């Protein structure tokens, strides 16, 4: 439900049109990336090739990441529509800051990895190409979009530093669950090779 003058919740002002457009764009971006994860599963992308031995584990990770991306869709939408009555503005604010911090940390990590590859410290610089740059640019744009949504919503809802800090603390938890906890659990169950 869109914000309407007679139905806005106390303390949450409606977003300007530009912010609404950014919210819609970020929601579509997250939706497209979730669809790519689903496409990987439908086409059995990892069933053959160098990762075939870990196809089941990669499938679990892929579905988990698709769910995280769908939470991103919902978060972007909640930034620009009137939230349901059971959802407090503080919760939406924390989700927005967490999304912003998560994508920003991911971009920073990708840039650090690219620098390490280009300087010869790690990896193969030949693997960096235009597609790699486009991928990082897409995530950089998403981070900027979530940042704009978080700042705008915080101002419109009168949120403070608490929501910012809670959201930023959520980012390492999200990334850690994907990059550390889930692989550890998959190795413990024997789905992921050591």
């Amino acid at each position: 439900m869109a914000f309407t003058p007679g139905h806005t919740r106390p303390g949450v002002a409606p977003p300007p049109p530009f912010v609404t457009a950014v919210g819609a764009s970020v929601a579509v971006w997250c939706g497209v990336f979730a669809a790519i994860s689903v496409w990987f599963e439908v086409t059995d992308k990892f069933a053959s090739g160098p990762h075939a031995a870990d196809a089941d584990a990669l499938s679990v990770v892929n579905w988990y990441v698709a769910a995280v991306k769908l939470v991103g869709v919902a978060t972007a939408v909640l930034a620009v529509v009137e939230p349901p009555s059971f959802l407090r503005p503080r919760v939406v604010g924390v989700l927005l800051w967490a999304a912003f911090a998560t994508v920003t940390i991911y971009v920073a990590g990708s840039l650090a990895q690219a620098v390490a590859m280009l300087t010869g410290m790690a990896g193969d610089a030949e693997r960096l190409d235009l597609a790699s740059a486009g991928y990082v640019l897409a995530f950089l744009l998403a981070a900027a979009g979530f940042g704009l949504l978080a700042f705008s919503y915080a101002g419109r809802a009168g949120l403070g530093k608490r929501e910012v800090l809670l959201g930023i603390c959520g980012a390492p938890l999200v990334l850690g669950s994907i990059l550390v906890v889930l692989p550890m659990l998959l190795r413990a169950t024997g789905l992921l090779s050591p």
Side-chain angles (χ1 to χ4, degrees):
M1 164 189 326
F3 278 98
T4 54
H7 294 90
T8 56
R9 294 173 69 181
V12 182
F18 177 72
V19 172
T20 300
V22 170
S25 298
V26 171
V28 168
W29 181 91
C30 290
V32 166
F33 271 88
I36 290 170
S37 294
V38 172
W39 178 76
F40 284 165
E41 291 305 310
V42 170
T43 60
D44 285 331
K45 178 170 177 57
F46 302 112
S48 61
H51 304 293
D54 294 321
D56 290 338
L58 290 172
S59 181
V60 171
V61 173
N62 207 26
W63 283 116
Y64 181 77
V65 170
V68 169
K69 293 169 186 175
L70 291 176
V71 170
V73 171
T75 301
V77 170
L78 286 170
V80 296
V81 301
E82 188 173 352
S85 58
F86 64 85
L87 194 58
R88 299 178 54 90
R90 288 180 178 161
V91 173
V92 176
V94 170
L95 288 171
L96 284 165
W97 286 111
F100 170 56
T102 299
V103 180
T104 300
I105 291 170
Y106 184 76
V107 169
S110 296
L111 291 174
Q113 182 182 18
V115 168
M117 292 169 80
L118 289 170
T119 59
M121 293 172 58
D124 180 12
E126 305 242 343
R127 293 180 50 204
L128 298 175
D129 56 12
L130 194 55
S132 303
Y135 179 82
V136 174
L137 179 61
F139 274 86
L140 183 61
L141 290 173
F146 271 123
L148 177 76
L149 293 174
F151 277 102
S152 172
Y153 191 85
R156 291 183 288 114
L159 302 179
K161 294 179 182 175
R162 180 179 178 192
E163 291 78 19
V164 175
L165 291 174
L166 286 172
I168 289 172
C169 288
L173 296 176
V174 173
L175 290 171
S177 71
I178 296 168
L179 301 173
V180 178
V181 175
L182 196 53
M184 185 176 65
L185 291 173
L186 291 169
R187 279 190 187 93
T189 60
L191 288 174
L192 184 61
S193 55

